[in-house]
Amino acid sequence: MKRNWWKEGVVYQIYPRSFMDTTGDGLGDLVGIIDQLDYIESLGVTMIWLCPIYESPNDDNGYDISDYRKISDEFGGNATFDRLLKALHARGIKLIMDLVVNHSSDEHYWFQEAKKSKDNPYHDYYIWRGNNPESPPNNWQSFFNGSVWKWNAATEEYFLHLFTQKQPDLNWENPKVRQEIYDIVDFWLAKGVDGLRMDVISLISKRLAFTDTPQGMPFVDVMEHVYANGPRVHEYLNEMHQKVLSKYDVVTVGEGPGVNLEHGPRYVSAAAQELNMVFHFDHLTIDFGPEGKYDPVPLDFVRFKEIFSQWDAALAQDGWNSIFLGNHDFSRIVSRFGNDGIYRIASAKLLACLLMTLRGTPYIYQGDEIGMTNVAHDSISKYDDVETRNAWDAAMASGKDMNKFLKAVHWQSRDNARTPMQWDQTPNAGFSKGQPWIPVHENYKSINVAAAEDDPNSILHFYRKMIAFRKAQPTLIYGDYQDLEPQHSQLFLYRRWDIKEEFLIVHNFSNHAIDWEKPKTQYNLQIGNYANPEEGRLSPWESRVYRLN
Ligand code: TEU
């Protein structure tokens, strides 16, 4: 396995809107990140990934960009960005920017022009089909509900938008569009940015026949087989690599809805020269039911483990994995995969231990390091997220049981991960002196950074310990992986090893103690999440890392 700095590091993902507000406008900003660099550095992370901070009308919180070269004034503008980049580099921390180029904002100059007439030079920057305002070109449904087609009266045709109507898809078939994108990438990398997280990059190549999806096909399958992994995606990514990425020593991670075991390895194969890592969603769509995310089914733990084993095996020889359990689009990890009630602390630590002991680069989402939890608002009016709101409206329109649907929202809404970072016990959790753009979680008085700093047994201190441990053990980074109990319904037990060393890691994913003996006496406990681990027994949500002597 070839060594690389981005394999050996740990990423901290920041959702800038919700991190730290220094102006009192209720929105986080870049000065807020600069002010918290001591904290970020103290975690031991080596890279930060910033969700989009470019100029945007914010129909989808920055994932709708209207100027790719301008940092939004709300966040502090380009000058503040330059300060942030310098300050990070002074501390040896790298910066990964979010690149959103499957679509732009409809307020981007390109689209403003494109929609004017069919012979406008920018018209072919987007994807146009159909000529009957009563009948969209096909039955495709947007990620955020409703048809993917929106009528444009001026040219009497529809444009494609896989996300909101304000996020028209760019036409990657057009070489001019691709060159514009490579120029944007070059602009940021030349500035010194160290990497890119590429939003929904699996979707950039469309299946141009635009054939209807089969009636009743679950959305995860539509993503995988209809929207993602299109015929030219690998060609485009290789071209981007040739034309721009190869000039820089940077890291790339492609966000890949619909990326599966068949296509995943190709995206990250060193030989294919496309990306360094992808985010697949097999483990995060695991509880999506027949009608999708807001129709959740119970989590299948055996399947959950199998997904990690399958992906590890798929990338073992060539390529590299990204290890993450959540982000700004999913529930809080302790609420989803742990227990955010009486075992919140133990289970949040267990998840930290899992993230730091699998093979692949670990990603920590802001707030998970203090065990922030899901919210459960009693009314949809308190939710901001366009995905949640559109799903709600669609459920209403189709006559769903809305009490049941609200429960699904509690479980799945993207706003679970977007509530402001909880810094201390002061009003608004110390996030803002103004009215936060989204409600602060009511539990902030007990769950916050200041309280965690003061408690030597906090989740926060455990994260620091685990991150340091991970970074110091090449075997945990590069070593082989094997699940030793794939069928066990509560234990996750695996081995990580190379020619020099071997680790055994065990996690009890349950609210009950489990009888368990370490298989060899030569296994020595290195780190764990309980103060007094018992012989022959694992406590609820206990994690242990042993080294073979
Ligand atoms: O997410 C794409 C994506 O796959 C998500 O929409 C995901 O399927 C969904 O949240 C699961 O419910 C990326 C960004 O991370 C997201 O924030 C953006 O809204 C989206 O792209 C559009 O740019």
Side-chain angles (χ1 to χ4, degrees):
M1 182 73 70
K2 191 172 172 291
R3 291 188 60 171
N4 281 108
W5 56 265
W6 42 266
K7 292 178 180 168
E8 297 176 13
V10 175
V11 182
Y12 186 66
Q13 181 193 350
I14 295 181
Y15 195 69
R17 274 177 110 66
S18 298
F19 193 63
M20 175 57 104
D21 170 25
T22 58
T23 63
D25 65 355
L27 290 174
D29 48 59
L30 299 187
V31 173
I33 299 175
I34 295 173
D35 285 355
Q36 292 302 331
L37 285 179
D38 283 345
Y39 173 73
I40 293 167
E41 186 179 1
S42 79
L43 298 172
V45 298
T46 61
M47 300 172 248
I48 65 169
W49 148 28
L50 291 186
C51 283
I53 50 175
Y54 314 91
E55 189 167 279
S56 165
N58 291 309
D59 193 48
D60 185 20
N61 290 358
Y63 282 94
D64 47 320
I65 298 173
S66 53
D67 186 340
Y68 286 97
R69 288 181 177 78
K70 197 171 172 322
I71 302 300
S72 149
D73 288 332
E74 282 178 343
F75 287 123
N78 286 45
T80 314
F81 175 81
D82 293 343
R83 261 179 66 206
L84 171 63
L85 183 61
K86 239 174 127 176
L88 283 165
H89 285 171
R91 292 169 189 256
I93 300 173
K94 303 210 184 248
L95 176 65
I96 299 174
M97 296 277 275
D98 218 313
L99 180 76
V100 188
V101 287
N102 170 70
H103 44 269
S104 72
S105 162
D106 66 339
E107 296 183 31
H108 192 287
Y109 172 74
W110 299 335
F111 191 77
Q112 291 297 311
E113 285 296 307
K115 69 179 189 185
K116 288 183 183 161
S117 70
K118 288 187 177 171
D119 54 15
N120 186 285
Y122 291 96
H123 188 68
D124 197 32
Y125 273 41
Y126 296 88
I127 300 167
W128 307 92
R129 288 289 186 284
N131 54 19
N132 178 354
E134 305 301 320
S135 155
N138 67 16
N139 70 354
W140 289 14
Q141 291 292 299
S142 146
F143 277 69
F144 298 152
N145 294 92
S147 172
V148 299
W149 299 103
K150 186 173 180 203
W151 183 249
N152 180 47
T155 57
E156 300 194 304
E157 60 193 337
Y158 293 85
F159 67 86
L160 177 81
H161 62 90
L162 291 180
F163 295 89
T164 75
Q165 297 189 351
K166 288 180 65 62
Q167 293 170 297
D169 282 55
L170 284 160
N171 178 18
W172 278 68
E173 298 284 327
N174 181 348
K176 281 195 208 145
V177 169
R178 303 206 297 276
Q179 193 55 52
E180 297 264 18
I181 291 166
Y182 306 151
D183 291 346
I184 291 163
V185 169
D186 198 64
F187 173 83
W188 291 103
L189 298 186
K191 245 186 196 296
V193 164
D194 306 287
L196 298 167
R197 175 266 190 192
M198 300 185 187
D199 190 61
V200 292
I201 207 71
S202 52
L203 310 182
I204 58 177
S205 164
K206 315 299 184 211
R207 290 179 175 80
L208 299 174
F210 290 109
T211 320
D212 274 356
T213 56
Q215 199 67 38
M217 189 185 212
F219 194 72
V220 276
D221 295 329
V222 173
M223 268 191 322
E224 183 174 335
H225 302 292
V226 184
Y227 298 170
N229 314 310
R232 298 183 69 186
V233 65
H234 297 294
E235 175 197 330
Y236 296 155
L237 290 174
N238 177 255
E239 183 182 73
M240 174 161 15
H241 187 274
Q242 298 301 328
K243 291 211 165 169
V244 44
L245 298 173
S246 58
K247 295 197 287 174
Y248 300 93
D249 178 21
V250 292
V251 61
T252 53
V253 50
E255 194 217 16
V259 167
N260 53 22
L261 285 163
E262 181 197 337
H263 286 269
R266 169 79 186 268
Y267 284 95
V268 298
S269 151
Q273 301 200 314
E274 298 179 18
L275 302 170
N276 299 132
M277 297 178 247
V278 281
F279 293 126
H280 73 78
F281 291 108
D282 285 352
H283 58 316
L284 295 192
T285 52
I286 190 170
D287 58 358
F288 289 20
E291 292 184 38
K293 181 173 181 177
Y294 293 92
D295 176 29
V297 294
L299 205 137
D300 176 346
F301 180 62
V302 169
R303 173 73 190 127
F304 178 77
K305 295 187 293 181
E306 183 186 44
I307 290 165
F308 285 99
S309 296
Q310 287 177 333
W311 277 91
D312 185 83
L315 305 180
Q317 302 305 323
D318 183 17
W320 190 248
N321 211 349
S322 49
I323 301 296
F324 70 110
L325 293 167
N327 59 33
H328 62 292
D329 292 332
F330 292 92
S331 302
R332 282 289 172 184
I333 66 174
V334 71
S335 301
R336 192 166 187 206
F337 300 111
N339 174 328
D340 65 8
I342 54 168
Y343 294 117
R344 187 183 66 89
I345 293 174
S347 67
K349 290 178 180 174
L350 175 149
L351 297 172
C353 185
L354 176 70
L355 285 169
M356 294 305 141
T357 54
L358 290 168
R359 176 160 55 182
T361 299
Y363 290 75
I364 299 165
Y365 179 65
Q366 74 180 42
D368 285 342
E369 78 278 17
I370 55 167
M372 283 177 60
T373 65
N374 280 356
V375 281
H377 299 306
D378 53 8
S379 150
I380 191 67
S381 65
K382 298 204 179 102
Y383 287 87
D384 173 273
D385 173 34
V386 64
E387 179 199 79
T388 309
R389 286 174 160 270
N390 288 0
W392 180 271
D393 292 345
M396 285 274 270
S398 64
K400 292 249 158 65
D401 170 349
M402 295 315 283
N403 283 323
K404 192 170 157 221
F405 201 83
L406 188 62
K407 291 211 170 69
V409 167
H410 293 167
W411 180 247
Q412 299 286 48
S413 172
R414 305 198 298 181
D415 282 348
N416 282 313
R418 298 178 179 187
T419 61
M421 182 73 183
Q422 293 164 204
W423 293 103
D424 57 35
Q425 312 196 13
T426 63
N428 299 327
F431 161 72
S432 172
K433 297 221 167 358
Q435 178 67 33
W437 70 277
I438 191 175
V440 173
H441 199 300
E442 59 192 19
N443 65 17
Y444 76 89
K445 288 207 171 139
S446 55
I447 301 176
N448 62 61
V449 173
E453 292 286 9
D454 289 346
D455 173 3
N457 295 316
S458 67
I459 298 165
L460 176 61
H461 287 301
F462 188 76
Y463 261 89
R464 289 182 175 133
K465 237 164 77 177
M466 272 316 307
I467 293 169
F469 187 74
R470 154 82 178 205
K471 289 198 303 184
Q473 311 297 337
T475 310
L476 286 182
I477 299 168
Y478 294 106
D480 282 325
Y481 162 90
Q482 184 193 13
D483 185 347
L484 300 172
E485 286 274 13
Q487 293 307 320
H488 201 293
S489 60
Q490 287 155 333
L491 284 189
F492 200 167
L493 177 71
Y494 49 93
R495 212 159 68 88
R496 299 290 317 277
W497 77 99
D498 57 22
I499 45 170
K500 288 205 195 109
E501 283 205 285
E502 174 173 330
F503 290 92
L504 180 78
I505 299 107
V506 63
H507 309 285
N508 175 5
F509 267 80
S510 84
N511 296 331
H512 311 282
I514 295 183
D515 290 337
W516 181 79
E517 292 287 351
K518 61 182 180 181
K520 293 180 188 161
T521 50
Q522 308 94 302
Y523 279 122
N524 269 319
L525 189 60
Q526 303 295 304
I527 198 164
N529 63 349
Y530 271 75
N532 301 303
E534 285 179 58
E535 277 298 327
R537 186 172 177 273
L538 292 169
S539 295
W541 301 97
E542 182 163 7
S543 265
R544 295 180 194 175
V545 181
Y546 293 92
R547 187 202 304 261
L548 187 65
N549 276 2

